[in-house]
Amino acid sequence: MSQIPDLDIDLLRSLCLTPGAPGSETLVRELVLDQIKDYVDHVETDPLGNLVAIKKGRNPGKVLVAAHMDEISFIITHIDPDGFAKFHTLGGFDPKTLTSQRVIVHGKEDVLGVIGSKPIHLMSPEERQKAPKLKDYFIDFGMSADRVKALVQIGDKVTRERDLVELGDCVSTKSLDNRISVFILIETLKRMATPAVDFYAVFTVQEEVGLRGATTVTRKINPDFGFGLDTTIANDLPGSSEAEYITKLGGGAAVKIMDSSVITDSRMVRFMEDVAKRNKIPTQREILTGGGTDTAAIQRSGDGAIVGCVSIPTRHIHSVVEMCHKGDIDHAISLLQHCLEELDQFSHDWA
Ligand SMILES: [Zn+2]
């Protein structure tokens, strides 16, 4: 039995519970800045809101590592005369995951609401057979329409309300996608020695709506190397065959081979696996045929970069009970740390 690492769960909880809808990442950015400022040589926020921290390296060259700060969220589109709100999604939701959820509307002040839909008692036999749709849901604030309208308006962002719990060897809450990677990038900065080349730790915005922050920030920095840092699917669950797992929870940090937005550089995959082997870090390969990450934006922006991606196996992804394994989290930190420290050993030779 391998040991379960001692992680800063209080910091992870704060990161996951701090709201950060796409385009509204300020509170997460402030929390990150407070954590990293003593561990970097320079830090700045760019016009889109990306937080860029630089740690000087031993050699010339630049490596960019991106972890997105935003979380899948909603935006208020309408408030009806009775004070119920309709909303649109920011990021990819399965509508069935909205049933019975509590949400926080970030209006003039934070307002708690619950997501309601038609009770099963009132559904026709045909309705009961159908998968729920986004339009079936609304937010109920439990207050008069006048009070709702004084606090909430069209365009207000909405995040999900859920505490973090530790269960078994795992943690579970909302927004582990991608605060787990924000956590890993912070911890890497805290643990690491001098990087091989200049290390740009970038906490990006608006990934969930199309890799928007990573695209502009990479164009500006124009790095030689890049790493994405994001969750991936662990489908090691009842009803799935091993061929359908993508990754296995507790199986180690995942080295991305491809997702639907990127084919990582085969030289970087080789380098990451060599580093893992040298440092006895368990890894598994990840091939995800749907979904994209900031890795794609890093690869394609500016002059293009040699990219890899450390993925964190996550069960129940894009729900409020996302689950990651503490061992995988620790291995992801170690893998990233050693890749950054040993990047001067990267070989440009194609296999
Ligand atoms: Zn993500």
Side-chain angles (χ1 to χ4, degrees):
M1 228 4 234
S2 67
Q3 261 219 290
I4 297 305
D6 188 19
L7 300 170
D8 186 352
I9 298 297
D10 289 342
L11 172 59
L12 179 59
R13 176 180 286 109
S14 301
L15 285 167
C16 291
L17 268 55
T18 301
S24 302
E25 297 89 349
T26 306
L27 294 175
V28 182
R29 185 170 53 243
E30 285 171 355
L31 177 55
V32 173
L33 180 60
D34 188 55
Q35 288 291 321
I36 64 169
K37 60 182 189 309
D38 297 337
Y39 300 91
V40 298
D41 298 305
H42 177 77
V43 66
E44 64 182 46
T45 301
D46 79 359
L48 255 77
N50 297 299
L51 182 67
V52 182
I54 306 169
K55 198 171 166 67
K56 286 275 167 209
R58 302 187 303 267
N59 304 288
K62 296 180 203 171
V63 58
L64 187 159
V65 182
H68 70 87
M69 295 186 286
D70 59 314
E71 64 191 291
I72 54 168
S73 308
F74 312 101
I75 188 164
I76 300 289
T77 55
H78 179 74
I79 300 163
D80 79 11
D82 296 318
F84 297 104
K86 296 296 282 185
F87 55 89
H88 185 63
T89 48
L90 299 175
F93 277 95
D94 175 351
K96 74 171 182 286
T97 63
L98 306 188
T99 304
S100 306
Q101 296 302 329
R102 275 198 288 260
V103 292
I104 305 163
V105 180
H106 307 286
K108 282 209 175 63
E109 57 191 60
D110 282 358
V111 188
L112 202 58
V114 297
I115 297 187
S117 58
K118 196 173 188 176
I120 192 158
H121 318 68
L122 307 181
M123 285 182 175
S124 66
E126 300 80 60
E127 282 176 319
R128 290 186 192 194
Q129 298 305 314
K130 282 190 201 141
K133 293 194 181 59
L134 186 64
K135 68 172 175 51
D136 300 332
Y137 295 95
F138 54 87
I139 300 171
D140 181 355
F141 298 98
M143 57 173 81
S144 70
D146 284 348
R147 253 181 93 196
V148 172
K149 284 176 182 168
L151 295 172
V152 179
Q153 62 176 331
I154 289 169
D156 286 346
K157 308 273 178 67
V158 186
T159 58
R160 298 156 301 158
E161 192 264 1
R162 181 63 61 125
D163 199 2
L164 179 146
V165 291
E166 294 178 70
L167 66 177
D169 303 334
C170 298
V171 289
S172 171
T173 184
K174 72 168 186 84
S175 308
L176 283 171
D177 178 4
N178 195 26
R179 303 294 161 65
I180 194 64
S181 300
V182 170
F183 175 79
I184 288 166
L185 192 47
I186 292 170
E187 292 298 313
T188 301
L189 281 166
K190 289 181 180 175
R191 280 192 206 177
M192 77 182 306
T194 309
V197 300
D198 289 350
F199 168 27
Y200 289 71
V202 182
F203 300 86
T204 61
V205 295
Q206 300 193 41
E207 189 272 352
E208 294 289 1
V209 289
L211 324 182
R212 297 176 190 175
T215 303
T216 58
V217 78
T218 305
R219 199 178 297 143
K220 184 174 176 202
I221 295 168
N222 207 19
D224 306 290
F225 303 99
F227 291 94
L229 205 52
D230 210 329
T231 52
T232 189
I233 291 173
N235 191 37
D236 53 337
L237 297 167
S240 302
S241 72
E242 236 180 294
E244 299 165 317
Y245 281 4
I246 315 293
T247 61
K248 198 168 162 30
L249 211 72
V255 174
K256 189 183 290 293
I257 306 297
M258 65 167 281
D259 60 35
S260 66
S261 68
V262 72
I263 297 170
T264 54
D265 196 295
S266 55
R267 296 166 295 179
M268 187 57 93
V269 170
R270 183 180 61 203
F271 170 74
M272 291 169 76
E273 291 182 336
D274 285 350
V275 167
K277 212 169 164 190
R278 272 203 297 279
N279 294 284
K280 299 189 173 57
I281 303 164
T283 61
Q284 51 188 321
R285 288 186 163 198
E286 175 218 358
I287 294 182
L288 182 65
T289 54
T293 56
D294 278 344
T295 322
I298 305 169
Q299 187 178 50
R300 294 181 214 172
S301 302
D303 294 333
I306 296 171
V307 296
C309 175
V310 179
S311 297
I312 299 87
T314 307
R315 285 184 186 159
H316 323 302
I317 207 160
H318 283 203
S319 82
V320 291
V321 292
E322 290 176 335
M323 187 188 289
C324 294
H325 190 281
K326 290 179 184 174
D328 295 340
I329 299 167
D330 197 54
H331 296 316
I333 299 166
S334 297
L335 179 59
L336 184 62
Q337 177 196 340
H338 286 286
C339 283
L340 294 166
E341 287 170 0
E342 298 168 31
L343 199 52
D344 45 349
Q345 292 169 50
F346 179 89
S347 165
H348 284 79
D349 295 339
W350 298 98

